[in-house]
Amino acid sequence: MAGGLAALLDDIAALAKIAAASVDDIGAAAGRASAKAVGVVIDDTAVTPRYVHGFTSNRELPMIRKIATGSLRNKLVFILPAILLLSQFLPWLLTPILMVGGLYLSYEGAEKLYEYVTGHHKEKTAAPAAAKGEDHEKTMVSGAIRTDFILSAEIMVIALNEVADEPLLNRAIILVVVALGITALVYGVVALIVKMDDIGLSLAKRDSAGSQKVGRLLVKGMPKVLAVLSVVGVVAMLWVGGHILLVGVDDLGWHAPYELVHHLEEAVAGGLGALSGFVTWLVNTLSSAVVGLVVGAVVVVIMHLVPRRKKDAAAH
């Protein structure tokens, strides 16, 4: 009896060791997968603040919470089951679907630039965001969640590619960990960015002269930082969208566009030593942004011409 119990305990201990090793493997794989997606995480962090820019202070965190909830829903309810099923049964379909998302991001970025160039954005922002009512807030939150869907899809697909050799259950667990971790990271940073002016206001009210100085600096500087991030968010749409398209056409067999980018990277970064990595990234990013802008501009032209032609046809 005692011997049987000891053997049972030994078996349980062995199973516990296996489980612990499996958890360690999953954790390491999740970290590896998250690291691969860090570029898109930065883009996501840059894009989001522009959706809450201009709203009153008491609406910023509730809006970010709604966007973060929508982002988590995007990842866990829609994207995760879809990409797991596709990776298992139709892996070739992942790239075209992701390219549709890249096309949408390119269009969004080009459309925002078109509004800036034509002055249409001034009409939309003539009144403060808070004065436009609850419907406007819902529209901005919905727009942020739609944009997040594309960025989240790329994050999850990049993470999936990194752990493609893992069993299906391990892949699912790893992607859940990645989804939770990256969502918390992105929207934690976004919340900190948009509330920096409030933190500055609190510091400015303290007795310490140093705290007051830092507080005033934050209060004066954060509106400019948010305005810059809003622009960076638009540009990020172009370079992420363009990058998705470049990688997509390369995966589908048309290698010339991405090979040209690689040749540019080698030509510019050659002989720069420690700076070569940064310069290579910069060339790749700029090339992706140009592709995103060109493709997005074509879609913008089509989207603006088609309704006009319908109106002209109706008038005649």
Side-chain angles (χ1 to χ4, degrees):
M1 181 74 174
L5 181 60
L8 177 61
L9 290 174
D10 284 343
D11 290 342
I12 291 171
L15 287 172
K17 287 179 182 178
I18 293 170
S22 179
V23 168
D24 287 343
D25 290 343
I26 288 171
R32 210 167 56 242
S34 299
K36 285 287 184 180
V38 69
V40 189
V41 171
I42 293 169
D43 300 333
D44 206 356
T45 307
V47 166
T48 306
R50 74 184 186 86
Y51 287 99
V52 299
H53 183 58
F55 286 87
T56 56
S57 177
N58 65 318
R59 294 309 307 157
E60 290 172 343
L61 288 183
M63 286 180 69
I64 291 170
R65 184 169 60 248
K66 289 177 184 177
I67 297 169
T69 302
S71 174
L72 204 54
R73 185 170 60 246
N74 283 342
K75 293 181 181 77
L76 297 181
V77 177
F78 301 114
I79 298 170
L80 177 58
I83 64 173
L84 282 176
L85 287 172
L86 288 174
S87 69
Q88 194 71 15
F89 301 109
L90 297 168
W92 58 269
L93 200 54
L94 280 171
T95 296
I97 290 174
L98 201 54
M99 288 178 71
V100 172
L103 186 64
Y104 173 76
L105 275 180
S106 299
Y107 162 70
E108 277 274 287
E111 175 74 7
K112 297 299 178 188
L113 285 181
Y114 169 78
E115 289 175 0
Y116 275 107
V117 171
T118 59
H120 288 180
H121 73 291
K122 293 179 181 177
E123 298 170 14
K124 295 183 178 182
T125 59
K132 297 180 181 179
E134 189 177 336
D135 288 342
H136 181 62
E137 180 177 316
K138 288 180 180 177
T139 300
M140 295 305 287
V141 169
S142 298
I145 292 172
R146 279 197 306 272
T147 299
D148 172 272
F149 188 93
I150 310 302
L151 295 170
S152 291
E154 191 184 16
I155 288 169
M156 298 294 278
V157 170
I158 290 171
L160 176 64
N161 287 340
E162 187 63 19
V163 295
D165 295 334
E166 297 283 342
L168 181 62
L169 180 59
N170 279 15
R171 264 181 280 160
I173 295 171
I174 290 164
L175 291 176
V176 168
V177 172
V178 169
L180 293 172
I182 284 181
T183 303
L185 172 64
V186 168
Y187 291 98
V189 171
V190 169
L192 183 62
I193 289 171
V194 300
K195 298 306 291 182
M196 270 296 181
D197 52 350
D198 290 340
I199 294 171
L201 192 60
S202 176
L203 288 173
K205 293 177 180 177
R206 293 188 179 181
D207 295 333
S208 167
S211 295
Q212 291 176 3
K213 187 176 181 180
V214 172
R216 286 193 295 269
L217 185 64
L218 286 174
V219 170
K220 290 180 181 178
M222 284 315 295
K224 295 176 182 177
V225 171
L226 285 172
V228 169
L229 274 177
S230 182
V231 175
V232 169
V234 172
V235 177
M237 288 181 182
L238 293 174
W239 85 56
V240 174
H243 185 72
I244 292 173
L245 294 173
L246 274 173
V247 173
V249 296
D250 189 64
D251 289 344
L252 292 176
W254 187 25
H255 304 299
Y258 212 20
E259 283 179 357
L260 177 60
V261 174
H262 290 318
H263 289 320
L264 286 173
E265 290 173 355
E266 293 170 2
V268 174
L272 291 177
L275 289 174
S276 61
F278 171 74
V279 172
T280 298
W281 171 85
L282 189 61
V283 170
N284 193 298
T285 298
L286 290 174
S287 301
S288 298
V290 169
V291 170
L293 178 59
V294 171
V295 173
V298 171
V299 179
V300 167
V301 170
I302 293 170
M303 294 298 287
H304 282 269
L305 283 180
V306 170
R308 188 175 300 168
R309 285 181 177 176
K310 286 183 178 177
K311 288 179 182 178
D312 292 341
H316 288 299

